[in-house]
Amino acid sequence: MQLVGPPPGPDGGDGDGVGGVSNGASGPHGGGLPINALRNVALRLVATDYVALLDVDLLPSTSLACLAGPAAGARLERLLPPGGRRGLVLPMFITDVGMAVPRTKAELLDQLAARVAAPYCLASQAGTAYDRWYRATAAAEARFVPGYEPYVALRAADAGAYDERFVGYGFNKVAWTWAAAVRGLRLYVHPSAFVVHANHADNAWVARIDRGGYLMTWRRYLAYVAEVATAETRE
C-alpha cells in the first residue's frame, strides 16, 4: 500500500475517522469506550488463520462467502500477489432507507446506477478507488491516503494490535491503518466482495459529539503518527 500525504486534519474522514462522542464509559487513557482494547481481545480469541476486521453494523455481500469455510485461506491467497504482509480491502457502500441490501456486485451496480446506493464516505475510503473498482475483475492495490480507514480481510498473524490509547469515537481505525502501512502491510481491493453500512434510524448522537474530546483525540493521532514513523526508522 503506497503512503501518500500527511495525516488528516480534524475535519477529515467519517465514522471512526472523526468525532469524539462521550459515551460515559471510561478507559485507561481517558473517558470513552475502550474500543481498541475490545478489538484486541477479539483478535486474541481468533481461532482461524484469517480474519476480517469489520464493524458490527456492516452487512456482507454474498461474495464474502469466499472468506468462510476451510478453503477460505486458499481462495483469499489466489486473489493476492505472493509474499509479504498482504490484505484485501472490502469496499463499503450505503443504500437508501428501505432498499434491499444488494447481495452481488451486479445488484449493487444496478442500485448505484439508480442512485439508491452510494459509496460510504469517500473521504475515509478514498484509497479504495471506487471508480476503478466498478470495472475491476482482479484485485488492485489500494493507495494509502490521509484518513484512510478501510475494512480488511487478512492473515490473523498480520493484523497486529490496535493501539489501546485510542478510546471513544475517533481515529482508532485510522491509527491502525497508518501503523499497518508504515510497517509494510500492502492492501489490495477485492474485485467483487463488498460490505454495506446499515442505516441507523436514530442519528441523534451526532449532536452530542464532544468537540473538545475530538480535538484531543486528533492531537493524540498526530503524536501517534510521529511515534510510529520514528520507531520504524529506528528499526
Side-chain angles (χ1 to χ4, degrees), residues 6 35 44 56 67 83 89 103-104 141 150 164 169 198 213 221 234:
I35 188 166
R44 288 194 292 271
V56 70
L67 301 182
V89 171
R103 296 168 298 174
T104 65
E141 188 166 7
E164 296 183 9
Y169 189 81
Y221 172 65
R234 288 174 179 169

Side-chain angles (χ1 to χ4, degrees), residues 21-219:
V21 174
S22 176
N23 51 29
S26 62
H29 302 286
L33 184 73
I35 188 166
N36 276 358
L38 295 174
R39 286 181 172 129
N40 286 337
V41 169
L43 283 172
R44 288 194 292 271
L45 294 174
V46 169
T48 54
D49 292 332
Y50 293 82
V51 62
L53 307 178
L54 302 174
D55 285 349
V56 70
D57 55 0
L58 296 181
L59 306 173
S61 64
T62 54
S63 304
L64 278 178
C66 70
L67 301 182
R75 288 192 290 264
L76 187 147
E77 291 293 339
R78 283 197 293 270
L79 290 167
L80 294 168
R85 300 177 64 224
R86 302 151 298 138
L88 279 173
V89 171
L90 307 173
M92 179 168 58
F93 296 85
I94 191 167
T95 61
D96 285 355
V97 174
M99 288 298 302
V101 174
R103 296 168 298 174
T104 65
K105 185 174 182 178
E107 289 182 5
L108 173 63
L109 292 176
D110 286 343
Q111 290 192 2
L112 290 167
R115 298 183 180 275
V116 294
Y120 186 86
C121 186
L122 289 175
S124 66
Q125 305 297 316
T128 299
Y130 283 96
D131 288 343
R132 181 182 62 188
W133 183 81
Y134 299 145
R135 305 182 300 273
T137 57
E141 188 166 7
R143 185 177 70 159
F144 180 86
V145 294
Y148 193 30
E149 51 174 345
Y151 293 91
V152 179
L154 73 171
R155 286 191 296 258
D158 291 339
Y162 289 86
D163 192 290
E164 296 183 9
R165 289 171 292 181
F166 289 90
V167 296
Y169 189 81
F171 294 95
N172 41 73
K173 291 198 303 291
V174 174
W176 178 91
T177 307
W178 166 260
V182 169
R183 292 166 183 160
L185 179 68
R186 301 185 70 175
L187 294 179
Y188 298 82
V189 184
H190 196 296
S192 59
F194 58 92
V195 292
V196 177
H197 189 279
N199 283 297
H200 298 288
D202 181 8
N203 286 320
W205 60 268
V206 175
R208 299 194 298 269
I209 289 178
D210 176 3
R211 297 295 177 181
Y214 158 49
L215 183 58
M216 289 178 61
T217 303
W218 177 58
R219 289 172 175 166

Side-chain angles (χ1 to χ4, degrees), residues 218-228:
W218 177 58
R219 289 172 175 166
R220 181 180 298 138
Y221 172 65
L222 293 180
Y224 179 75
V225 166
E227 174 187 316
V228 170

